[in-house]
Amino acid sequence: MASIIVCLFHVFAVVESIFALCTYYYFIIGTIDQGYAGPWKYLTFLNMWVQIACFSLCLLCDLGEFLNLGPIVTSLKKARNVFYSCAALPSCLVVFTTFWILYIVDKEMIQPSWVEEFIPSWANHMWHTAILIVAVDVGFTKYKFPSRTTGICLSAGYGLSYLAWIMFVQYYGGFYVYPFLAHLNAFQFVMFVLVELIFTWSMYFLGEFINYLTGEDESLSTKKKE
């Protein structure tokens, strides 16, 4: 049975996520030309929608438990577990780590100085730091991650679908969402895809390990034997 604290945490997470999205619309979409596909080509923006969907699903599970909906809650929890472990958590960790690593290495690459004229620092942290609330949720919610094979395949599919999307934008929009891709030859592009897959998988494994450390999912030791 979901506790009141867990339910309140998910309410807060939904509200916080929606507020972050609203600030993105206000500071980015309302002031900077987005070009082809609008903001939907940026992983930061997509991640916020994934985060809202994830916490909304968690809240539905909480409400379902309070109302004793039985089989419906079981189905919702299965969907929640897969969505959280294979999409929401890896996406959150990827956005957080890639943004701040690139920000430290070469800020102009990820956020040019002229952009900072439109974006206050607190809003930037809402989009790239506060998203770790997804990882914090493992301390509140009992997630059961899928089998290692299923997790690897689904998280890879999630990552590759985004790669296919930015290639679609390049083909029809005539530009790369991330300009450095234009400078890669065929071999370098293949290596980039492999590195991205490995990175996505590493974020999935990290999420699985964090979940295991909370004591909520005790199946990690079993998965290691697969």
Side-chain angles (χ1 to χ4, degrees):
M1 176 68 70
S3 69
I4 295 295
I5 294 177
V6 172
C7 189
L8 289 176
F9 174 79
H10 288 147
V11 170
F12 169 78
V14 170
V15 173
E16 186 273 338
S17 301
I18 293 175
F19 177 73
L21 184 64
C22 290
T23 61
Y24 192 92
Y25 270 98
Y26 180 80
F27 290 112
I28 298 294
I29 301 176
T31 57
I32 302 174
D33 181 27
Q34 299 299 301
Y36 183 81
W40 295 97
K41 56 184 174 289
Y42 299 116
L43 189 56
T44 294
F45 181 77
L46 294 173
N47 178 69
M48 284 187 277
W49 280 105
V50 169
Q51 186 172 312
I52 291 172
C54 177
F55 285 127
S56 296
L57 188 54
C58 288
L59 194 54
L60 284 176
C61 290
D62 297 339
L63 294 176
E65 288 191 339
F66 282 125
L67 297 174
N68 295 317
L69 297 183
I72 296 178
V73 175
T74 300
S75 298
L76 285 173
K77 281 187 174 182
K78 288 180 179 180
R80 179 201 65 185
N81 291 341
V82 173
F83 187 72
Y84 177 86
S85 61
C86 299
L89 185 57
S91 179
C92 153
L93 295 175
V94 166
V95 171
F96 173 80
T97 54
T98 54
F99 178 86
W100 289 113
I101 287 174
L102 291 175
Y103 189 92
I104 293 171
V105 173
D106 185 357
K107 187 177 72 171
E108 293 297 316
M109 181 188 304
I110 192 70
Q111 184 171 291
S113 299
W114 64 268
V115 174
E116 295 183 347
E117 298 178 10
F118 304 94
I119 306 173
S121 60
W122 64 265
N124 192 31
H125 282 291
M126 285 287 295
W127 310 331
H128 301 109
T129 306
I131 57 175
L132 288 180
I133 193 173
V134 176
V136 172
D137 189 39
V138 298
F140 292 86
T141 305
K142 293 183 178 181
Y143 289 105
K144 183 174 179 59
F145 277 46
S147 68
R148 180 64 57 78
T149 300
T150 300
I152 288 175
C153 290
L154 291 179
S155 59
Y158 179 78
L160 290 175
S161 63
Y162 179 67
L163 179 62
W165 169 233
I166 62 176
M167 295 308 297
F168 178 90
V169 171
Q170 190 281 327
Y171 183 80
Y172 287 99
F175 64 93
Y176 282 98
V177 176
Y178 306 105
F180 74 90
L181 291 174
H183 303 288
L184 303 182
N185 57 38
F187 174 75
Q188 291 171 331
F189 183 78
V190 171
M191 293 304 297
F192 168 75
V193 173
L194 291 176
V195 169
E196 281 298 301
L197 275 176
I198 293 172
F199 185 59
T200 300
W201 285 332
S202 68
M203 292 300 101
Y204 173 81
F205 294 143
L206 176 59
E208 185 183 63
F209 183 64
I210 292 173
N211 191 51
Y212 176 69
L213 288 179
T214 65
E216 304 294 4
D217 187 353
E218 300 177 354
S219 59
L220 183 60
S221 56
T222 302
K223 294 173 186 175
K224 289 180 179 178
K225 299 177 183 179
E226 293 182 358

